[in-house]
Amino acid sequence: SSFPHLAQNQKTFWLKNLYINKVYNMAAAENSTNDYVTGDIPYCFESGHSELCMPRYFEAMIIGVNTLSLALNIFHMMILCRLKKIRGTVFHRIIIITSVVDMLDVISKISTTACVIRVNIIDKLPLIHIVSSVHEIITGYKFAILGVSAIDRWLSLAKPFQYDATLMVRKFNLFAFLVAVPFAVYSFLKNALLVDEYCIETGFGFKYPRSSISHIILFVVTVVNCIGVNVFILLIAKHLIQMRLRSRLTESDRLLRQAAKYVIVTCILFNICFIGYLIIVILRVSEYFFKAGHFSGFEYLALVSILFNSCYGILNIVTFAWYTAGYRRAVTDLLHIKQGRVRTN
């Protein structure tokens, strides 16, 4: 050949490819149940089926539902700015905060669900710490803001004349900020102190360091939130029944009743969507403290729970639209405006 260096380069190229394929096949044979190298981070369960990435169909469903939720929440925020009857009220601010938290939760869920992100941060503990902490803070704040909305509606029904003078209403912005502080402090401190104890779960990714204090706080916070919110829901239902017995209701009473019904239905939907999460917490605590056997369907229960959690943001918007007077008209007006701009252009 007149170009021997080209032939040699071609031979080297094919030998390299052959070697790479051989190494890849050997790695695939050794890791037939785990497609990705997890470094020094262990799986949370020695028994059962654990993977770094969740099944592709679950990943696609969760990301798809959360993307739809994000789009609806953006549109929902545009409608909230057009609702004049509740604009400026504490209830209006609670709904806006709820929508913002839902959008942040959507972004957080996508970042903890997407396989490509898990693979790229597996060897970067600071990034794992940040992602896990932010996700825990947002999840905790969702619980907290739901409780705040229940307390607010209870105050509006139980103390209608003193409502504007209550401390929570007068200092609501400060109150809404302070509610998030305990979750932020706890999450960052826990994840910083226990960063070397992270383990991998198929559903939740890199969350839940394996320690007794983590399990105790997780159980207490979850159960106390659920009990507290449901107690106020029962109190709201009691006042609604009493309001129904009145012979005459003013327009203000009707608005209060519709808002209270919305909060009740939202809390019921929240309980349904997060019942899987509560079961997971109970199973986790029983497994850790009472040495109970590992639940074989734990990972799949976690996946279904995440899917249900993702649906909550969509259901919340639909419920608010159903119980809020003028919402559908605001949607129609906004769509007409958009159509008019398209036609003029």
Side-chain angles (χ1 to χ4, degrees):
S1 174
S2 58
F3 301 98
H5 62 284
L6 292 180
Q8 183 64 31
N9 287 341
Q10 188 177 18
K11 183 178 180 181
T12 304
F13 173 78
W14 286 112
L15 285 174
K16 283 183 178 179
N17 274 350
L18 183 64
Y19 176 77
I20 291 171
N21 288 332
K22 184 177 180 181
V23 171
Y24 177 82
N25 291 332
M26 290 173 62
E30 291 178 1
N31 300 289
S32 57
T33 58
N34 297 301
D35 296 331
Y36 305 99
V37 178
T38 59
D40 296 328
I41 302 178
Y43 289 109
C44 295
F45 307 110
E46 296 178 359
S47 60
H49 184 72
S50 291
E51 298 281 350
L52 174 59
C53 294
M54 61 180 62
R56 293 187 184 276
Y57 56 89
F58 261 111
E59 181 184 350
M61 283 193 294
I62 292 171
I63 292 177
V65 170
N66 280 284
T67 303
L68 176 61
S69 178
L70 180 62
L72 287 176
N73 269 290
I74 293 173
F75 186 74
H76 181 57
M77 290 287 288
M78 296 170 65
I79 300 299
L80 288 175
C81 296
R82 303 175 66 88
L83 295 177
K84 297 180 180 179
K85 288 187 177 181
I86 63 172
R87 188 185 300 172
T89 63
V90 170
F91 181 65
H92 186 248
R93 279 182 279 177
I94 289 174
I95 300 302
I96 290 177
I97 291 174
T98 301
S99 188
V100 171
V101 171
D102 281 341
M103 286 190 284
L104 293 175
D105 186 55
V106 163
I107 298 171
S108 176
K109 276 194 177 71
I110 292 175
S111 66
T112 55
T113 298
C115 183
V116 63
I117 296 178
R118 290 187 182 185
V119 170
N120 283 294
I121 69 173
I122 186 67
D123 58 344
K124 301 176 179 66
L125 281 180
L127 280 177
I128 293 175
H129 167 61
I130 293 172
V131 170
S132 300
S133 298
V134 170
H135 183 68
E136 286 182 355
I137 293 168
I138 293 172
T139 302
Y141 196 66
K142 284 187 75 169
F143 276 97
I145 203 64
L146 187 71
V148 169
S149 65
I151 295 171
D152 174 71
R153 289 303 86 196
W154 172 74
L155 286 173
S156 67
L157 293 171
K159 300 180 179 181
F161 300 109
Q162 297 86 15
Y163 173 74
D164 291 331
T166 57
L167 182 62
M168 193 188 85
V169 175
R170 289 189 292 107
K171 303 290 184 181
F172 176 75
N173 292 335
L174 178 62
F175 186 79
F177 171 76
L178 292 177
V179 165
V181 171
F183 294 103
V185 173
Y186 158 69
S187 180
F188 274 106
L189 285 179
K190 183 197 72 173
N191 290 329
L193 294 174
L194 304 174
V195 69
D196 293 330
E197 298 184 27
Y198 271 103
C199 58
I200 299 168
E201 281 185 8
T202 304
F204 294 108
F206 305 102
K207 293 178 64 178
Y208 305 117
R210 299 173 295 177
S211 68
S212 57
I213 186 66
S214 173
H215 284 82
I216 292 171
I217 295 177
L218 178 67
F219 181 77
V220 170
V221 169
T222 304
V223 173
V224 168
N225 267 288
C226 289
I227 294 175
V229 168
N230 286 299
V231 165
F232 278 101
I233 289 304
L234 292 175
L235 292 174
I236 292 173
K238 175 186 174 183
H239 286 287
L240 286 178
I241 293 172
Q242 293 175 351
M243 182 181 288
R244 192 175 181 181
L245 298 176
R246 295 181 191 175
S247 58
R248 177 181 293 181
L249 293 176
T250 63
E251 181 64 23
S252 178
D253 290 334
R254 291 190 182 92
L255 291 176
L256 284 175
R257 187 172 64 178
Q258 292 298 99
K261 287 181 179 179
Y262 157 74
V263 171
I264 290 176
V265 175
T266 300
C267 289
I268 293 173
L269 292 173
F270 189 89
N271 289 332
I272 293 172
C273 292
F274 281 81
I275 188 65
Y277 180 78
L278 181 60
I279 293 173
I280 287 171
V281 171
I282 295 172
L283 289 174
R284 195 189 307 276
V285 171
S286 64
E287 181 182 3
Y288 187 88
F289 287 103
F290 304 110
K291 307 303 179 184
H294 172 63
F295 177 56
S296 59
F298 192 98
E299 290 84 357
Y300 288 102
L301 177 61
L303 294 174
V304 173
S305 174
I306 294 170
L307 184 60
F308 269 68
N309 295 352
S310 302
C311 294
Y312 172 72
I314 298 174
L315 296 174
N316 187 26
I317 295 172
V318 173
T319 305
F320 185 80
W322 181 266
Y323 282 104
T324 303
Y327 191 94
R328 279 165 284 183
R329 183 180 299 174
V331 172
T332 305
D333 292 343
L334 183 63
L335 292 177
H336 281 322
I337 291 173
K338 296 292 184 183
Q339 290 175 358
R341 288 178 179 174
V342 172
R343 289 171 183 172
T344 54
N345 291 335

